[in-house]
Amino acid sequence: MLEKLNEKIRYTRQHKKYLRKLRPFIGGEWEKKDGEMKSLKRHIRSVLKRFQQNKCAYCGLPLDETSGSEIEHIAPKGGAVYPKYKEFTFTPFNLVLSCHLCNNPVKKGKKDTIVNLNSNYKVCEFNIVHPYFDDPNHHFDWVPNGKEVLISYKSTKGEKSIEIFKLDDNAHNEARARILLYDYFKTEPDIEELLKKALDYRGSL
């Protein structure tokens, strides 16, 4: 259902030059509307969509299954009014695509994901299952249950992720079941043949 990300964003030379011009980050840089920022965001979205295989980094569901996609900052960047970890705004390991179902303000909102801060992002301690640093299989279990696939935690990080992103709500549970069923149909040639015959029969009526 959910896999660790094994690639990160690599910025072009032009994008690196632009980011150097924006330093030091004081909050609000992400919201700039100039052409260079738009180009940078298009690049980020395109790369993330490819190596995330168009799946949400938090719930693992297809990004169009529950809602649209958003570029998400794992350690919240805040904004011009409420800056948080502004220094990590463009850190590749801090950027993922997530669905709005996981990333809406009611859920993640202003909740913190860092327990111990370090100037080196990779040394920071996170209280959630980090898409780049943690293997989800060490933190979650998924259990089919009729029309739903339920999620449970194996660790405190797994528990916190379920709590923050509400990974155990009905929308997530039912979407997992739909995906599981779809994958089952794709891999069962006998089922596919039965469906084809059924469609051919209905078409002859």
Side-chain angles (χ1 to χ4, degrees):
M1 285 293 176
L2 193 56
E3 297 179 4
K4 179 181 176 182
L5 300 181
N6 294 313
E7 297 184 61
K8 69 172 184 176
I9 297 162
R10 298 187 185 279
Y11 293 124
T12 66
R13 184 177 301 177
Q14 181 180 351
H15 292 146
K16 288 178 181 178
K17 183 179 179 181
Y18 175 63
L19 289 175
R20 284 195 294 271
K21 287 196 306 183
L22 295 180
R23 290 183 180 277
F25 303 138
I26 58 174
E29 291 82 7
W30 186 261
E31 283 72 31
K32 286 182 176 291
K33 304 295 184 183
D34 59 69
E36 289 178 293
M37 179 58 73
K38 290 178 181 177
S39 169
L40 177 63
K41 288 183 178 179
R42 281 196 301 270
H43 173 73
I44 291 171
R45 179 178 290 277
S46 173
V47 172
L48 290 174
K49 187 173 183 179
R50 175 177 55 79
F51 71 69
Q52 287 183 213
Q53 299 178 3
N54 203 36
K55 295 177 182 177
C56 174
Y58 294 132
C59 67
L61 294 170
L63 288 167
D64 55 358
E65 173 68 24
T66 57
S67 57
S69 65
E70 302 172 349
I71 301 174
E72 153 72 346
H73 294 79
I74 299 165
K77 63 176 175 54
V81 180
Y82 300 107
K84 192 65 176 176
Y85 302 111
K86 53 190 180 294
E87 65 270 36
F88 299 140
T89 300
F90 300 97
T91 300
F93 283 121
N94 197 45
L95 296 169
V96 291
L97 285 182
S98 72
C99 65
H100 186 66
L101 184 61
C102 287
N103 192 40
N104 73 64
V106 176
K107 292 184 176 180
K108 185 163 180 275
K110 298 175 184 176
K111 294 177 182 177
D112 207 342
T113 53
I114 291 184
V115 178
N116 290 311
L117 178 64
N118 191 286
S119 58
N120 181 346
Y121 184 86
K122 294 179 73 173
V123 180
C124 292
E125 183 182 346
F126 292 84
N127 61 7
I128 62 168
V129 178
H130 196 289
Y132 291 99
F133 303 153
D134 298 312
D135 184 343
N137 292 313
H138 295 162
H139 301 277
F140 300 120
D141 263 330
W142 292 271
V143 181
N145 182 38
K147 294 182 179 179
E148 298 180 324
V149 174
L150 307 180
I151 189 171
S152 61
Y153 58 85
K154 297 180 180 179
S155 68
T156 53
K157 276 189 172 186
E159 182 179 18
K160 192 67 176 178
S161 288
I162 292 173
E163 175 196 328
I164 288 180
F165 303 112
K166 301 293 186 292
L167 300 178
D168 57 352
D169 63 15
N170 288 339
H172 280 109
N173 295 339
E174 291 172 2
R176 287 189 204 100
R178 286 196 297 273
I179 297 302
L180 193 66
L181 189 62
Y182 176 73
D183 287 343
Y184 173 77
F185 282 144
K186 281 201 309 183
T187 58
E188 290 294 327
D190 293 340
I191 295 289
E192 188 175 353
E193 186 61 29
L194 284 173
L195 288 172
K196 185 176 183 303
K197 286 180 179 179
L199 289 170
D200 289 344
Y201 174 73
R202 290 185 64 185
S204 66
L205 293 178

